[in-house]
Amino acid sequence: MSQTRHIATQVKDADLVSERRAHIVRAAARVFRAKGFHGATIRDVAIEAGLSQGSLYNYVRTKDDILYLVHKDLTEGYTREVEAAIATVHEPRKRFRAAVAAFTRAMRRRSGDIALIYQETHALGPESRRAVLAQTEQFIQFFSGLIDEARAAGMELPGAGKLAGDIVTFLPIMLALRRWRLKDSMPGEEAEAEVVQFLLRGLGVIDAV
């Protein structure tokens, strides 16, 4: 994603910074899921990451930095999954269908992280929040572009209105936000399939196989 927020570090080795931050992000996500963002401390994250608090400060300075990086890691992760799913698909309707399926699958598989982000994004500082919203907007526009490509190829897509990109990138999130209900009423993969079919029927691309 191109919309990112710079986080200062005195460590000169860019590869090391990337590696350590990825490790810190994974540890922080576990801590935030268990304790909540406000209930967790920098020390909690450092302990979970197996680092001293001083060492952790070489890579991030605040909990805001960490929560932002958790969100960025999640967004980039599901974006990569969608891009990989359509990399070898060229027919526009099938390409869009594959993208919807991949995104929905990612929302189910990473439901804990998705729920965390939706619960805690309000805690971000203004700069981090702007970057997060820009990343989300970029992903919505990516899906809107897939719809435009399908239309340019002569596909009517009767259910694809102005909000289609927003709807397609929001409805699958229910697999995370409503998991408390779905876990007892419908197995995860079945719920995932139903969301995909619902979206595709509504957009008029259900026959793309």
Side-chain angles (χ1 to χ4, degrees), residues 185-203:
S185 61
M186 183 176 288
E189 291 185 2
E190 185 178 341
E192 174 190 323
E194 183 159 329
V195 169
V196 171
Q197 295 300 303
F198 182 87
L199 283 169
L200 296 178
R201 279 195 300 268
L203 293 166

Side-chain angles (χ1 to χ4, degrees), residues 10-187:
Q10 295 182 356
V11 178
K12 303 301 183 183
D13 187 333
D15 290 337
L16 178 60
V17 171
S18 179
E19 178 185 336
R20 286 292 172 83
R21 282 182 174 170
H23 179 66
I24 290 167
V25 161
R26 290 190 294 270
R30 293 192 295 270
V31 171
F32 293 161
R33 285 196 299 269
K35 296 189 173 185
F37 177 73
H38 291 291
T41 65
I42 289 279
R43 183 171 181 273
D44 292 329
V45 175
I47 291 171
E48 182 68 21
L51 299 171
S52 69
Q53 198 164 332
S55 178
L56 185 141
Y57 279 130
N58 287 327
Y59 305 98
V60 293
R61 301 301 301 172
T62 66
K63 280 206 300 178
D64 180 81
D65 288 346
I66 298 172
L67 183 58
Y68 165 72
L69 289 173
V70 169
H71 189 289
K72 179 173 176 286
D73 176 72
L74 178 63
T75 305
E76 290 180 345
Y78 63 65
T79 298
R80 284 193 299 269
E81 289 184 42
V82 173
E83 290 175 341
I86 66 175
T88 59
V89 181
H90 304 293
E91 196 280 320
R93 189 163 47 184
K94 291 181 179 179
R95 185 174 169 85
F96 179 71
R97 190 181 193 277
V100 170
F103 178 61
T104 306
R105 185 177 308 114
M107 294 301 97
R108 177 178 65 81
R109 289 179 175 174
R110 301 197 65 176
S111 61
D113 291 332
I114 295 295
L116 168 67
I117 289 301
Y118 268 79
Q119 291 164 3
E120 306 293 1
T121 296
H122 70 279
L124 289 168
E127 184 181 1
S128 293
R129 192 177 301 115
R130 284 193 296 270
V132 160
L133 292 176
Q135 291 165 9
T136 301
E137 174 65 21
Q138 187 174 355
F139 188 71
I140 293 169
Q141 290 304 318
F142 168 71
F143 261 91
S144 297
L146 292 176
I147 292 171
D148 290 342
E149 289 174 7
R151 281 179 164 152
M155 297 171 188
E156 293 185 8
L157 298 179
K162 291 182 178 180
L163 291 179
D166 291 89
I167 292 168
V168 168
T169 54
F170 183 76
L171 184 60
I173 295 170
M174 68 166 286
L175 296 174
L177 302 186
R178 290 285 179 87
R179 58 182 179 159
W180 57 270
R181 180 175 185 274
L182 296 175
K183 67 182 178 65
D184 295 324
S185 61
M186 183 176 288

